[in-house]
Amino acid sequence: LELYAVRAAMRADPDRTLAAIRAIGYTDVELLWAFKNFGQSTAQVKAALAREGLRAPSAHIAPELLVGADDWKRSVDTAKTIGHEYLIVPSLPAETNTSLEAWKKWADRFNEAGRAARAGGIWLGFHNEPDHMKPIEGEVPYDVFVNRLEPAVVRLQLDVGNMLVGGGDPMEYLARYRDRYWS
C-alpha cells in the first residue's frame, strides 16, 4: 500500500494508521520520504514497522536527492537501515514540463545515482505520472527518458491509473518494457 493513499490519516496519527493497515491484511507499505515520513525519524519508522509486522520494501523520494553525492549516499544508507529494496522517484522538476533535454539530463542523473545505489545494494526506480505521456516536440518524454536509462541500474514502477489518465496504454508499456517494470 502506498502511504500516499492514506496520507491524511498518516499525518494525523502514523502509529494508529500503520496498525490499521496491518489489521486489514497488508504486509508491505511504500513510504513517503518526500513527506518526511510524516515527521518520524528513521529509527521511529523502523520501530513502527517492526511493531506492526510491516515491511517497507520501497519509498518515494524527491528527485533532488539524486543530485548531491553526499545526500544520495546518506539516502542509500538510510534505505538499507529501514529495509528498503527500492528508492523510487515519482516526479521530476518543472523544467521537464517543456524540455526533452531536461528529461535526458535527468536520465543521465538517474543512471549515475543508480550505479551508486546498486553498489550500496539498493535499486533506484522511477514512477510514471500522467503528464509524462504528454508529447514535447512530437515525442513522449517518458519514452525518451526510459530509453536513455540503463536497465542494469534503474528500474521502473508502473502506475496503471496514471498511465491511463495520461493517455498511455499500460498493457502496451508492459509488453514493450516487460523486463524493466519491477513494481
Side-chain angles (χ1 to χ4, degrees):
L1 175 72
E2 279 188 20
L3 293 182
Y4 184 81
V6 293
R7 61 194 175 280
M10 284 295 294
R11 281 188 187 114
D13 191 338
D15 290 333
R16 185 171 170 202
T17 304
L18 290 175
I21 289 167
R22 184 64 183 114
I24 61 175
Y26 283 97
T27 57
D28 291 0
V29 295
E30 185 167 74
L31 299 182
L32 289 164
W33 286 17
F35 284 51
K36 302 193 184 331
N37 284 330
F38 305 99
Q40 295 188 325
S41 70
T42 300
Q44 289 171 312
V45 168
K46 187 174 179 177
L49 292 169
R51 188 171 48 254
E52 297 305 332
L54 290 167
R55 286 181 351 112
S58 57
H60 274 195
I61 63 168
E64 291 78 12
L65 288 177
L66 307 182
V67 178
D70 290 342
D71 287 342
W72 186 235
K73 182 180 181 339
R74 202 167 23 258
S75 296
V76 170
D77 290 344
T78 298
K80 286 169 49 176
T81 298
I82 293 175
H84 295 322
E85 298 166 33
Y86 292 89
L87 290 176
I88 300 172
V89 176
S91 60
L92 296 175
E95 66 185 328
T96 59
N97 293 342
T98 58
S99 168
L100 288 177
E101 284 307 310
W103 279 92
K104 291 173 185 176
K105 179 177 74 175
W106 276 100
D108 294 343
R109 287 177 176 160
F110 267 70
N111 290 332
E112 182 179 343
R115 286 188 289 276
R118 290 307 305 137
I122 301 293
W123 281 99
L124 175 58
F126 186 70
H127 171 106
N128 61 290
E129 293 293 335
D131 61 332
H132 299 166
M133 304 308 295
K134 181 182 172 190
I136 299 172
E137 301 169 25
E139 294 188 68
V140 175
Y142 183 76
D143 293 340
V144 170
F145 183 76
V146 170
N147 288 324
R148 194 169 176 112
L149 293 176
E150 296 173 16
V153 297
V154 180
R155 290 184 169 173
L156 302 173
Q157 180 182 65
L158 179 63
D159 186 313
V160 173
N162 283 346
M163 180 71 68
L164 287 167
V165 169
D169 179 347
M171 296 309 291
E172 186 246 314
Y173 275 86
L174 280 172
R176 186 184 326 170
Y177 300 119
R178 180 174 311 280
D179 60 340
R180 309 283 297 273
Y181 290 110
W182 290 82
S183 169

